[in-house]
């Protein structure tokens, strides 16, 4: 069976080593349009390194990265983002002195063509502010728009990360542990948010919270020391004895 | 607070406009000339603030662009006076003493030099950036020292000040107002700039370059453009300095000069544009007071500066207008530079 339209993301034989450490070992996977593909594995398995190769922060030693069938392996970070890769970082990275609204407006501005505009006050441009307000409302920060990003709670910062990634209307969303460090009442809200987005944008999700993974993922890939141990539908992967031994351990929860 | 932020610059402008006639009436015309030095230093400092306070680029070589603007101005002026053309690579360039020609040329050439230097320096960051900007300024210093035709080490004296559209504006009073006009024009343009889309990118780059790239913005291009714009304004400041002093020498690009400008920005308040001008005023005031008191005024100034940095971290300007002066919704915390 040949699928006529290429997947949103395709990784082909990706390899990356840091000195003697193999971080990515002949990794191939696809994320179809609108699909949520979860990437799981123990600490140090190479999940963040994989993300960084997709965004362009790290160059693979070998292999190819295709976005909608187009080879983007050698493009710089900003060019890939401009092609529709949105990202939330494992460790929150925001513009801490800007308000929440400024943060998202910057994401909108980045998508709105050149920023070599020197005269009009950007904070008065409704074409930047309105979509930014919408994105903040979508992640539940509608009443926190004027708060400096650095003063938001941890959960709110994670939500702001997501709003920034969404504001660029990405084709592919890379989420590196969006629930990391969230309290028991914040995590389910983030899961609900992502669930609401499901189908509208392709997502590659790295997450240690197995409940969230099994709630959200259409497909699951298990990575151990950079190599794929198993890949497929969540329930089948969960049942895989190799996976149970290598990673999932007893029950459905990560051993970390 | 918001009102004070709007009124304070206008109040200072009104004061500056009124001062020269008052000083002359009080038989203190000497101060008009001193004030002009303050204004052009303020312009240099405000231009540094664009890259330092907004862009987070800690340049220790900003005087390089003052020097380029100053030397371009001085060299063309001297050829204009002598009536001999400047021959560069077989091309004859006539000198002139017309400010409307001299100032734009000095500004543009300083901008081009900043573009070239910035393209190299911006490949690095943090301490390396500080060091390499310093190194480039020192290179220019030795280049100017080596220009024997233009006075070498001793510098180049001019015979007069420039004309403006043929008018004689060589009096101390006219020179003051010419310099003030340039400063105000820069501040008006720069205020627009920092609030524009371009300005928001620059301010975001100070806070988090990595995030900016992940959003799809080619950060280096914007930083380089900002660096070149700041270089242009510094070139203008250099040209006006030379016009006022009727003299240009390599001392203008010495690293201590870059340090002085840096101090003015920090003293007045990074990321405020007006603050560095106030910083220049206070710097000259302290120099004046302390040098009358002791020869080693720098030794007294150093500790005073450290105290200032420790206790008014937002700078003097924020002390006057309040911390939230540039908070049209953001940057409420008015912090110091974040290293990327
Ligand atoms: N820049 C680097 N230089 C050297 N080694 C690195 C670098 N980045 C990652 N590594 C190594 O590569 C391996 C994979 O790291 P990576 O951060 O991708 O793991 P991860 O799956 O994201 O882990 P975690 O679940 O803890 O986030 C680790 O052994 C790590 O130490
Ligand atoms: Mg990781």
């Amino acid at each position: 069976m040949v699928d006529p339209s290429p997947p949103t993301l395709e990784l082909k034989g990706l390899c990356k080593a840091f000195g003697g450490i193999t971080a990515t070992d002949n990794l191939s996977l696809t994320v179809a349009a609108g699909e949520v593909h979860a990437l799981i594995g123990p600490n140090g398995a190479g999940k963040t390194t994989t993300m960084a190769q997709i965004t362009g922060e790290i160059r693979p030693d070998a292999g190819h990265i295709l976005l909608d069938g187009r080879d983007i392996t050698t493009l710089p970070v900003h060019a890939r983002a401009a092609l529709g890769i949105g990202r939330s970082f494992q460790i929150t990275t925001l513009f801490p002195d800007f308000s929440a609204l400024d943060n998202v407006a910057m994401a909108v501005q980045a998508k709105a063509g050149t920023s070599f505009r020197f005269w009009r006050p950007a904070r008065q441009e409704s074409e930047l502010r309105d979509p930014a307000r919408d994105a903040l409302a979508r992640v539940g920060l509608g009443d926190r728009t004027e708060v400096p990003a650095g003063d938001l709670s941890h959960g709110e910062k994670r939500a702001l990360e997501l709003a920034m990634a969404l504001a660029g209307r990405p084709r592919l969303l890379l989420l590196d542990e969006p629930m990391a460090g969230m309290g028991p009442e914040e995590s389910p809200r983030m899961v609900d948010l992502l669930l609401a987005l499901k189908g509208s944008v392709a997502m590659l999700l790295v997450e240690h919270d197995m409940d969230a993974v099994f709630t959200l993922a259409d497909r699951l890939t298990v990575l151990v020391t950079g190599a794929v141990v198993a890949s497929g539908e969540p329930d089948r992967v969960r049942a895989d004895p190799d996976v149970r031994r290598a990673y999932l351990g007893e029950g459905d929860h990560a051993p970390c | 607070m918001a009102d004070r932020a709007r009124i304070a610059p206008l109040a200072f402008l009104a004061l500056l406009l009124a001062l020269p006639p008052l000083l002359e009436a009080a038989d203190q015309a000497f101060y008009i000339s001193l004030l002009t030095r303050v204004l052009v230093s303020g312009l240099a400092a405000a231009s540094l603030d664009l890259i330092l306070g907004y862009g987070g680029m800690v340049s220790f070589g900003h005087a390089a662009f003052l020097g380029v603007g100053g030397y371009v101005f001085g060299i063309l002026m001297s050829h204009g006076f002598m009536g001999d053309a400047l021959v560069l690579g077989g091309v004859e360039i006539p000198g002139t003493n017309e400010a409307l020609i001299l100032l734009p040329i000095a500004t543009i050439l300083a901008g081009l030099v900043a573009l070239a230097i910035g393209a190299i320096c911006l490949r690095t960051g943090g301490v390396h950036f500080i060091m390499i900007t310093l190194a480039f300024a020192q290179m220019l210093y030795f280049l100017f020292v080596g220009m024997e035709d233009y006075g070498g080490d001793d510098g180049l004296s001019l015979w007069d000040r420039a004309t403006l559209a043929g008018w004689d504006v060589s009096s101390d009073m006219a020179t003051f107002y010419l310099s003030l006009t340039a400063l105000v024009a820069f501040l008006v343009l720069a205020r627009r700039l920092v609030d524009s889309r371009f300005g928001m990118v620059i301010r975001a780059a100070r806070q988090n370059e990595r995030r900016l790239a992940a959003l799809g913005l080619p950060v280096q291009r914007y930083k380089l453009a900002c660096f070149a714009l700041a270089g242009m304004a510094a070139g203008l400041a250099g040209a006006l300095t030379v016009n006022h002093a009727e003299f240009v020498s390599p001392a203008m690009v010495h690293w201590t000069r870059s340090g002085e400008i840096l101090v003015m920005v920090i003293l007045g308040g990074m990321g405020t544009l007006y603050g560095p001008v106030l910083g220049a005023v206070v710097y000259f005031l302290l120099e004046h007071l302390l040098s009358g008191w002791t020869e080693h005024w720098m030794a007294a100034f150093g500790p005073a500066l450290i105290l200032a940095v420790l206790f008014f971290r937002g700078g003097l300007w924020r002390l006057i207008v309040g911390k939230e002066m540039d908070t049209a919704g953001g940057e409420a915390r008015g912090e110091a530079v974040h290293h990327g």
Side-chain angles (χ1 to χ4, degrees):
Chain A
M1 278 286 289
V2 179
D3 192 336
S5 66
T8 301
L9 177 73
E10 181 168 13
L11 306 182
K12 284 201 224 169
L14 229 48
C15 294
K16 180 72 195 178
F18 296 108
I21 303 166
T22 305
T24 308
D25 185 4
N26 196 25
L27 172 65
S28 298
L29 63 78
T30 61
V31 185
E35 181 188 34
V36 178
H37 192 141
L39 190 60
I40 64 170
N43 292 113
K47 305 179 296 291
T48 298
T49 305
T50 304
M51 292 290 205
Q53 288 173 87
I54 300 169
T55 60
E57 285 187 335
I58 294 176
R59 280 289 151 84
D61 299 331
H64 292 274
I65 302 164
L66 281 73
L67 186 71
D68 294 314
R70 176 180 169 181
D71 194 324
I72 59 165
T73 316
T74 58
L75 290 184
V77 176
H78 65 85
R80 297 185 199 201
L83 285 176
I85 296 181
R87 164 175 203 195
S88 84
F89 290 83
Q90 178 170 358
I91 296 159
T92 308
T93 58
L94 302 162
F95 306 117
D97 298 340
F98 277 172
S99 69
L101 185 58
D102 286 337
N103 270 268
V104 189
M106 185 53 68
V108 178
Q109 182 181 324
K111 279 290 146 122
T114 175
S115 285
F116 280 102
R117 300 217 201 145
F118 302 96
W119 192 249
R120 250 171 71 193
R123 282 182 174 133
Q124 287 164 28
E125 291 192 62
S126 54
E127 58 187 287
L128 301 180
R129 305 306 262 190
D130 292 349
R133 268 199 195 86
D134 289 347
L136 282 173
R138 273 169 85 188
V139 301
L141 291 176
D143 55 353
R144 304 286 279 161
T145 53
E146 298 306 324
V147 180
D151 294 348
L152 294 172
S153 75
H154 179 76
E156 288 172 331
K157 283 180 183 162
R158 302 304 295 172
L160 180 54
E161 280 260 339
L162 183 62
M164 289 170 79
L166 285 177
R169 302 195 171 283
R171 310 193 32 71
L172 172 69
L173 207 48
L174 303 175
L175 302 169
D176 198 349
E177 302 195 27
M179 262 73 89
M182 277 193 169
E185 69 291 346
E186 288 172 325
S187 295
R189 277 201 47 199
M190 181 59 85
V191 173
D192 286 345
L193 267 172
L194 295 176
L195 216 44
L197 287 172
K198 200 176 148 153
S200 62
V201 54
M203 293 185 225
L204 186 62
L205 170 70
V206 168
E207 186 50 60
H208 282 300
D209 179 339
M210 285 304 131
D211 291 332
V213 167
F214 285 107
T215 307
L216 288 164
D218 299 307
R219 265 198 299 163
L220 190 57
T221 293
V222 182
L223 218 53
V224 176
T225 58
V228 175
V229 176
S231 185
E233 281 171 22
D235 288 334
R236 280 193 29 221
V237 173
R238 178 159 35 183
D240 188 317
D242 282 348
V243 173
R244 299 190 76 91
R245 206 171 325 119
Y247 176 52
L248 289 175
E250 297 153 27
D252 291 336
H253 292 273
C256 51
Chain B
M1 283 302 197
D3 281 345
R4 259 203 265 171
R6 203 156 304 155
I7 292 166
L10 294 174
F12 277 109
L13 176 61
L15 181 67
L16 284 170
L17 284 169
L19 264 178
L22 293 177
L23 286 169
E24 206 164 58
D27 236 3
Q28 299 286 335
F30 157 77
Y31 283 105
I32 300 176
S33 183
L34 180 64
L35 269 175
T36 308
R37 271 177 61 204
V38 176
L39 291 184
V40 291
S41 288
L43 174 55
S47 75
L48 176 61
D49 192 27
L50 212 49
I51 53 174
L52 175 65
Y54 291 90
M57 295 172 252
V58 187
S59 167
F60 211 117
H62 204 56
F65 314 120
L66 281 175
V68 173
Y71 266 93
V72 168
F73 185 94
I75 289 170
L76 289 175
M77 273 287 272
S78 78
H79 281 284
F81 183 80
M82 306 297 257
D84 62 335
L86 164 66
V87 184
L88 257 185
V91 184
E92 290 206 350
I93 304 165
T96 175
N97 65 346
E98 174 51 53
L100 289 181
I101 299 171
L102 288 165
L103 295 181
I105 291 179
T107 304
I108 289 165
L109 283 180
L112 289 176
V113 172
L115 200 60
I117 290 180
I120 296 165
C121 295
L122 286 170
R123 289 165 186 275
T124 67
V127 179
H128 296 282
F129 184 80
I130 301 176
M131 299 306 287
I132 194 168
T133 48
L134 174 62
F136 270 111
Q138 286 302 96
M139 271 170 59
L140 279 175
Y141 176 80
F142 288 112
L143 178 82
F144 293 142
V145 166
M147 294 200 314
E148 296 295 343
D149 289 351
Y150 301 106
D153 218 352
D154 298 329
L156 176 66
S157 284
L158 306 177
W159 298 85
D160 200 359
R161 289 175 177 154
T163 59
L164 187 69
W167 289 58
D168 179 358
V169 286
S170 62
S171 72
D172 277 354
M173 180 96 81
T175 305
F176 173 90
Y177 285 113
L178 176 67
S179 306
L180 180 61
T181 305
L183 174 63
V184 170
F186 171 76
L187 289 175
V188 168
L189 290 177
R191 279 247 51 105
R192 289 300 295 212
L193 180 106
V194 297
D195 286 333
S196 70
R197 288 193 187 193
F198 180 84
M200 292 303 278
V201 172
I202 293 302
R203 294 155 85 159
R206 172 180 69 82
Q207 300 171 56
N208 196 338
E209 278 190 38
R210 188 167 171 228
R211 173 40 103 174
L212 211 45
L215 290 178
L217 283 160
V219 185
Q220 292 303 318
R221 248 175 261 171
Y222 290 94
K223 286 178 75 176
L224 181 57
C226 187
F227 194 83
L229 286 172
M232 287 175 75
L236 176 62
L240 290 169
T241 305
V242 172
N243 182 53
H244 168 253
E246 299 173 54
F247 175 67
V248 57
S249 80
M252 209 171 166
V253 294
H254 197 260
W255 66 269
T256 51
R257 186 79 184 118
S258 292
E260 269 173 35
I261 307 169
L262 208 54
V263 165
M264 290 172 191
V265 178
I266 295 168
L267 199 59
M270 288 187 285
T272 62
L273 285 174
Y274 303 123
V277 181
L278 182 62
V281 173
V282 172
Y283 187 94
F284 275 89
L285 216 59
L286 285 177
E287 185 185 39
H288 195 71
L289 293 176
L290 294 177
S291 63
W293 173 55
T294 163
E295 282 210 357
H296 307 285
W297 77 277
M298 263 297 181
F301 188 62
L305 183 73
I306 291 169
L307 287 180
V309 172
L310 284 180
F311 289 103
F312 329 122
R313 291 185 59 187
L316 294 170
W317 187 257
R318 289 194 177 89
L319 227 51
I320 294 177
V321 303
K323 273 219 181 310
E324 290 165 307
M325 67 145 294
D326 60 356
T327 329
E331 255 167 312
R333 307 189 309 162
E335 275 169 43
V337 182
H338 295 258
H339 294 280

